[in-house]
């Protein structure tokens, strides 16, 4: 009965524990997102030093995300996930025992960055595992479930857990408790997932083959330009969300919202994203991956990005109207969920390398989003930055138009030939 229910939901029973593992691991990774920076500045670091710490951490995440796909193929998904777990634990141990007590950046930066290498290897290696295991007609739904688990842990449950844990445990013990969640996540995802087909990867027999395949994590974007386009689209996907946190809170409070109202609006944005990651995974399998990304993802994000600015301008601090705009934006960010299924199907023989490009895009979005704010808000203001993001989302819709599957190309050529013969 349980297997039947999971099947109807688009989740294979052999991999169901993996989703739970990803959720728990990402909860442990994300529980400090909303408060660690302010804690560090309250205890000795300057804002600039805190920003440097998180910038280098973000770079480590981007690098690990980039190579997670090829490492999952070289080592096998289980071993790559285990490596991610070990790096996260090692980085956390040194960061908490030496880094924070001394507030020494020379220790904090490398150890927190080591922690940052861990989650992409763990989570994205499981995603590669899914792309090989899942039948193509259910791949969009399976990937949707992955992003539900990922975003639920990182952006939603981690924040809610901290809101309850901090008053009871305090900051340091709350940080230590992350190890409990990541350990449970590792047990569920690595040990309890029952698929054995990719447990030990034997396709690489020599070091030269390993190095050559590692290089495909870079070269595939040029060998298969559609994969490169997918990386650009993935970068745009969450760039707006990462940029909003830099300037929208101040803008909303200038309009007249309270800090609590804005936090509720922002929380609703990500809660909506979690729900619609699954919905758009299913829609993508039915309507088509490319159409879902173009219209719901690109065009939808453009509309709601503009709405997040203009609705408060026109209606003032109208909580429910602005809340709807945030929910709409979060939903449309999830409209890109089928991108993984689309790009790995473009390169079916090099799915790990294709995933590396997508994961690089995910990492780069954490840089590009805030960089746009820093570079342009002084000259074009809040409205100008909003229109830059709106334009980028429309560009992503246009780029997606050119990411066609091999069978679509064949059908198009056959149609052209038929038309030519008919004329």
């Amino acid at each position: 009965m349980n297997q039947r229910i999971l099947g109807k939901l688009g989740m294979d029973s052999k991999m169901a524990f993996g989703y739970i593992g990803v959720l728990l691991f990402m909860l442990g990774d994300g529980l400090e997102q909303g408060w660690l920076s302010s804690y560090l500045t309250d205890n000795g670091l300057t804002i600039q030093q805190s920003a440097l710490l998180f910038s280098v951490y973000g770079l480590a995440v981007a690098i690990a995300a980039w190579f997670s796909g090829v490492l999952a193929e070289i080592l096998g998904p289980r071993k790559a996930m285990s490596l991610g777990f070990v790096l996260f634990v090692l980085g956390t141990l040194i960061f908490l025992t030496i880094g924070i007590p001394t507030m020494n950046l020379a220790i904090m930066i490398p150890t927190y960055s080591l922690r940052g290498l861990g989650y992409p290897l763990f989570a994205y290696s499981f995603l590669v595992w899914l792309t090989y295991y899942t039948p193509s007609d259910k791949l969009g739904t399976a990937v949707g479930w992955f992003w539900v688990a990922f975003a639920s842990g990182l952006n939603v449950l981690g924040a809610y857990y901290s809101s309850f844990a901090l008053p009871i445990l305090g900051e340091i013990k709350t940080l230590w408790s992350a190890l409990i969640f990541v350990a449970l996540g590792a047990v569920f995802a690595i040990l309890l997932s029952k698929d054995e087909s990719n447990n030990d990867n034997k396709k690489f027999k020599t070091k030269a083959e390993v190095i050559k395949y590692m290089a495909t994590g870079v070269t595939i974007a040029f060998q298969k330009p559609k994969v490169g386009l997918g990386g650009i689209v993935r970068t745009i996907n969450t760039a707006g969300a990462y940029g909003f946190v830099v300037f929208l809170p101040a803008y909303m409070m200038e309009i007249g919202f309270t800090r609590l109202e804005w936090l509720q609006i922002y929380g609703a944005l990500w809660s909506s994203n979690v729900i619609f990651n699954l919905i758009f995974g299913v829609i993508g399998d039915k309507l088509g991956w490319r159409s879902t990304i173009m219209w719901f993802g690109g065009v939808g994000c453009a509309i709601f990005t503009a709405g997040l600015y203009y609705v408060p301008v026109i209606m003032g601090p109208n909580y429910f109207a602005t809340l709807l705009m945030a929910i709409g934006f979060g939903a449309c960010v999830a409209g890109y969920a089928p991108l993984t299924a689309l790009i790995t199907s473009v390169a079916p023989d090099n799915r790990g390398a294709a995933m590396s490009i997508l994961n690089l895009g995910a990492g780069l979005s954490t840089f590009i989003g805030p960089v746009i704010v820093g570079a342009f808000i002084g000259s074009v203001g809040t409205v100008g930055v909003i229109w830059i993001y709106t334009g980028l989302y429309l560009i992503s819709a246009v780029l997606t138009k050119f990411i066609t599957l091999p069978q679509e190309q064949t059908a198009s050529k056959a149609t052209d030939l038929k038309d030519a013969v008919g004329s």
Side-chain angles (χ1 to χ4, degrees):
M1 181 63 180
N2 289 336
Q3 291 185 7
R4 188 180 304 168
I5 293 172
L6 290 172
K8 289 182 178 180
L9 292 173
M11 185 188 297
D12 191 285
S13 60
K14 289 185 177 181
M15 303 298 281
F17 282 121
Y19 293 108
I20 298 172
V22 169
L23 184 148
L24 290 170
F25 194 100
M26 296 313 301
L27 192 164
D29 177 79
L31 58 82
E32 83 275 9
Q33 275 195 339
W35 56 269
L36 182 59
S37 179
S38 61
Y39 171 78
L40 295 176
T41 55
D42 288 342
N43 286 273
L45 293 189
T46 66
I47 293 176
Q48 290 81 1
Q49 288 173 325
S50 178
L52 176 63
L53 175 68
F54 285 99
S55 295
V56 179
Y57 171 84
L59 179 61
V61 169
I63 292 171
W66 191 354
F67 287 106
S68 60
V70 291
L71 284 175
E73 294 214 38
I74 291 169
L75 301 176
R78 291 185 196 269
K79 290 180 180 178
M81 293 168 72
S82 299
L83 176 61
F85 170 69
V86 170
L87 291 175
F88 185 94
V89 171
L90 183 60
T92 299
L93 289 174
I94 304 174
F95 182 71
L96 294 181
T97 55
I98 304 175
I100 284 187
T102 62
M103 285 293 167
N104 186 336
L105 276 182
I107 297 171
M108 297 174 75
I109 288 176
T111 55
Y112 196 56
S113 298
L114 188 64
R115 192 175 185 270
L117 293 173
Y119 96 70
L121 284 175
F122 185 91
Y124 296 147
S125 294
F126 180 75
L127 182 56
V128 173
W129 191 355
L130 277 179
T131 66
Y132 276 103
Y133 176 81
T134 308
S136 60
D137 62 329
K138 297 181 179 179
L139 186 55
T141 304
V143 170
W145 273 114
F146 168 83
W147 288 116
V148 166
F150 184 94
S152 294
L154 182 64
N155 297 312
V156 181
L157 295 181
Y160 282 122
Y161 167 76
S162 286
S163 70
F164 292 109
L166 286 172
I168 301 171
L169 301 177
E171 290 85 357
I172 300 301
K173 289 182 180 179
T174 298
L175 288 171
W176 277 112
S177 70
L179 295 178
I180 298 173
F181 292 108
V182 299
L184 288 172
V187 170
F188 274 96
I190 298 172
L191 299 181
L192 298 183
S193 294
K194 297 178 182 178
D195 171 53
E196 300 296 330
S197 60
N198 282 287
N199 192 23
D200 292 307
N201 198 315
K202 303 296 184 184
K203 68 187 288 186
F204 303 103
K205 297 179 180 179
T206 66
K207 289 184 178 179
E209 289 178 343
V210 170
I211 293 171
K212 182 178 179 181
Y213 193 76
M214 285 284 287
T216 63
V218 179
T219 59
I220 192 169
F222 302 98
Q223 295 168 351
K224 293 184 178 292
K226 293 173 186 176
V227 174
L229 288 179
I232 296 171
V233 172
R234 180 63 186 88
T235 301
I236 295 171
N237 176 193
T238 47
Y242 286 116
F244 286 167
V245 298
V246 179
F247 72 102
L248 268 190
Y251 167 72
M252 291 296 179
M253 281 178 274
E254 286 176 10
I255 291 291
F257 289 101
T258 66
R259 188 180 301 274
L260 177 60
E261 286 174 332
W262 162 247
L263 289 174
Q264 291 172 344
I265 290 169
Y266 189 68
L269 185 157
W270 284 112
S271 297
S272 166
N273 178 260
V274 167
I275 296 169
F276 277 90
N277 267 310
L278 177 58
I279 292 173
F280 281 123
V282 176
I283 289 174
D285 284 340
K286 303 295 184 181
L287 181 64
W289 299 331
R290 198 157 53 110
S291 296
T292 302
I293 297 164
M294 286 170 55
W295 295 109
F296 292 104
V299 176
C301 278
I303 292 170
F304 286 106
T305 295
L308 275 171
Y309 176 82
Y310 285 105
V311 165
V313 167
I314 296 169
M315 303 181 68
N318 187 309
Y319 177 80
F320 290 103
T322 307
L323 184 71
L324 287 175
M325 292 298 104
I327 290 172
F329 178 79
C332 289
V333 168
Y336 290 86
L339 186 62
T340 299
L342 177 62
I343 296 304
T344 54
S345 298
V346 168
D349 297 327
N350 288 288
R351 292 189 177 189
M355 279 299 306
S356 290
I357 297 298
L358 287 181
N359 295 341
L360 174 63
L364 286 177
S365 69
T366 65
F367 292 101
I368 298 299
V371 163
I372 288 172
V373 179
F376 294 103
I377 199 162
S379 57
V380 300
T382 300
V383 65
V385 171
I386 285 290
W387 277 107
I388 289 172
Y389 289 132
T390 299
L392 285 174
Y393 283 121
L394 292 175
I395 289 170
S396 77
V398 174
L399 293 178
T400 304
K401 177 71 175 175
F402 297 98
I403 307 176
T404 54
L405 293 171
Q407 59 266 33
E408 292 174 331
Q409 281 186 299
T410 302
S412 177
K413 289 179 181 178
T415 301
D416 291 342
L417 179 61
K418 182 178 178 180
D419 291 343
V421 172
S423 62

